[in-house]
Amino acid sequence: MPPETVLPDIPRIYTAVSEWLACMLFILNAKKRFNKLQTVVLCVSSLIVFIVFHIFAGTLPLGFWVPCMIFAVLLMCLNVWCTTKKNVKTSCYLGVQAFIVAEFISAVEWWLYYYFYSNFSSLNTPVASALFAVGIYAIFFTLLFFLERHFSRRGLGVIYTKDLITAVIIVATAFLISNISFMPWNTPLSGKYTLEIFYIRTLVDLCGLLVLYSNREMKAANVAAAELTQIRLLLDKQYEQYCLTKTAIDSVNRRYHDLKHQVALLREKDTDAAEKLVNEIENETRLYEVVYKTGNDILDTILMSKSILCVDRGITFTCVADGTALNFLGDADICSLFGNALDNAIESFDGVTDEEAKLIKLAVYKNDALLIIKCENTFHGKLRTANGELLTTKHEKLNHGYGVKSIKAIAAKYGGTVTYNVTDGMFNLAIVIPVQI
């Protein structure tokens, strides 16, 4: 007689609930496709579907066991896809992982129950079995919920076909080895005793789960490393841009002073045409009279270049800055902080034609032992975030969206923080950094 006809296996309804709860781990930590009421209805309906399916599968011959398990995995993938805004590939990736989570928790619950059931006959009742399952499920699913929240905050990145195939192979291998003792085959991996078989199944499922989470951790680390590389490239670009801008502004300022002397000579010619020409030259060069003296040469150059850009785009730019408060920051860090902050503010007005609606305000000052940098700009859109990160509003997103990340990285480097919000039609970016002496 094969083992599966002798061993007391996990009740079908327990398996159904476990698979449903495993899906909930990923659904609750993801952005939902529908509103709250629709999501609740969909989740309750999916629980009923899981229970009905597993009860029905229990009536089928043993030969349908593997196809039913495959169908269960597809059902879990569909559940994640229908309820969250994940794409098909990502939903399948999470659904496959949910399956091994459900297998592990079902296995550990049934293994522990059988152990205590063998030693305490009072547990041999449906009520005691159900209460035991509720307790074990509550403990393990709560722990995994917070673990999944940690991973969801770090982000999955893009799920490629190779990621999905890797997850499928890991889960299929773990499932096959963990359940091999239930097969009518005599293999080196098969157990002979009931408790031993349950223990093997639990241990192998745990190993499969750990491998999957390790794989996700590596993927998250690779995504973070790629972002760090982009931020470093952005820092280098900002500093290079500053150097070029400083050279250009110095050249323009020299030319401006030369023009002032030429204009003075032209004024000596008392003709209407000369006077008109002089006035035009003065109006065109008045822009370069704006010279910032904040106490920090790097900040002065950045402010000069950005103010020229603001004038060119019809943006009102005001600044009150104590550049001496920045003296403990690195040159490249100052370039990136203010370059990114002001570039993001300027670019937010792309497509805005009303000049009265385009305003940028910058303030830099010390408050006790803190450096405060505030950059505000009028904002009429909707603030979009994901996993605590500000999303770019640009259509080409591959090489964008790193500006605020770069600012956060620099602030964190000096033990500071970055916050942003929209209040009364103004986007407010605040950088707070402890002053280092």
Side-chain angles (χ1 to χ4, degrees), residues 9 24 27 42 55 58 75 91 150 160 196 198 204 231-232 303 310 341 349 365 419 425 434:
D9 202 5
M24 290 300 105
I27 291 171
L42 191 58
I55 292 176
L75 201 59
S91 298
H150 161 74
Y160 298 100
E196 177 189 41
F198 290 160
V204 173
I231 289 172
R232 286 174 176 169
L303 293 178
C310 286
F349 297 121
Y365 57 94
T419 59

Side-chain angles (χ1 to χ4, degrees), residues 142-374:
T142 300
L143 292 174
L144 287 174
F145 172 80
F146 288 106
L147 179 62
E148 181 56 35
R149 172 168 290 185
H150 161 74
F151 278 105
S152 64
R153 284 175 177 171
R154 295 190 64 182
L156 272 175
V158 179
I159 298 298
Y160 298 100
T161 302
K162 63 179 182 180
D163 298 319
L164 179 57
I165 293 174
T166 300
V168 170
I169 292 173
I170 293 171
V171 170
T173 303
F175 178 76
L176 176 63
I177 297 175
S178 66
N179 288 277
I180 201 166
S181 295
F182 291 84
M183 301 294 183
W185 310 323
N186 185 18
T187 70
L189 300 175
S190 301
K192 295 182 179 180
Y193 304 102
T194 303
L195 199 59
E196 177 189 41
I197 292 173
F198 290 160
Y199 172 73
I200 291 173
R201 177 165 63 178
T202 303
L203 187 61
V204 173
D205 286 339
L206 174 61
C207 291
L209 190 62
L210 291 176
V211 171
L212 273 179
Y213 273 115
S214 298
N215 183 265
R216 283 185 67 179
E217 180 65 26
M218 290 177 60
K219 183 171 176 59
N222 290 336
V223 171
E227 288 186 351
L228 184 60
T229 300
Q230 289 287 346
I231 289 172
R232 286 174 176 169
L233 291 173
L234 194 60
L235 285 171
D236 293 340
K237 183 179 178 181
Q238 288 283 351
Y239 189 68
E240 181 182 351
Q241 183 181 9
Y242 156 75
C243 294
L244 293 173
T245 301
K246 188 176 187 305
T247 301
I249 288 177
D250 289 343
S251 176
V252 168
N253 284 334
R254 287 194 298 271
R255 181 59 178 159
Y256 166 68
H257 287 294
D258 292 341
L259 282 173
K260 285 180 66 177
H261 295 296
Q262 294 171 9
V263 167
L265 292 174
L266 284 173
R267 280 194 181 279
E268 296 178 1
K269 297 181 178 181
D270 189 16
T271 63
D272 293 339
E275 182 69 21
K276 183 178 180 181
L277 177 61
V278 167
N279 290 334
E280 288 179 358
I281 293 174
E282 283 185 330
N283 289 333
E284 290 177 0
T285 59
R286 188 168 290 122
L287 169 64
Y288 302 101
E289 290 181 350
V290 180
V291 178
Y292 290 92
K293 296 294 182 181
T294 66
N296 185 286
D297 293 339
I298 297 175
L299 180 60
D300 294 342
T301 302
I302 294 171
L303 293 178
M304 181 65 180
S305 65
K306 301 307 177 186
S307 64
I308 294 173
L309 191 57
C310 286
V311 170
D312 184 60
R313 298 191 181 188
I315 300 171
T316 302
F317 175 57
T318 63
C319 174
V320 177
D322 176 12
T324 60
L326 306 173
N327 291 340
F328 68 96
L329 298 179
D331 293 351
D333 294 336
I334 295 174
C335 290
S336 188
L337 277 177
F338 291 94
N340 281 311
L342 292 173
D343 282 344
N344 287 344
I346 293 170
E347 290 168 358
S348 71
F349 297 121
D350 288 350
V352 178
T353 56
D354 184 6
E355 293 190 1
E356 294 183 359
K358 297 192 283 188
L359 170 65
I360 298 175
K361 297 189 293 184
L362 179 68
V364 182
Y365 57 94
K366 280 199 299 186
N367 185 359
D368 294 330
L370 296 175
L371 166 65
I372 311 294
I373 302 172
K374 290 185 177 180

Side-chain angles (χ1 to χ4, degrees), residues 33-91:
R33 190 179 296 274
F34 306 104
N35 60 41
K36 289 184 178 179
L37 179 60
Q38 291 172 323
T39 301
V40 170
V41 171
L42 191 58
C43 289
V44 172
S45 301
S46 65
L47 173 60
I48 296 172
V49 170
F50 275 110
I51 293 174
V52 171
F53 165 71
H54 277 283
I55 292 176
F56 171 73
T59 64
L60 298 176
L62 182 62
F64 287 90
W65 180 54
V66 173
C68 284
M69 290 297 99
I70 295 174
F71 186 81
V73 176
L74 295 176
L75 201 59
M76 297 175 79
C77 297
L78 180 64
N79 189 22
V80 175
W81 179 78
C82 289
T83 315
T84 69
K85 287 189 174 181
K86 304 291 185 184
N87 58 36
V88 174
K89 198 173 291 184
T90 304
S91 298

Side-chain angles (χ1 to χ4, degrees), residues 381-399:
K382 184 178 180 182
L383 197 64
R384 297 174 60 243
T385 60
N387 300 319
E389 297 291 344
L390 186 66
L391 296 180
T392 179
T393 57
K394 300 174 185 176
H395 295 295
E396 198 282 293
K397 302 182 186 299
L398 181 60
N399 295 316

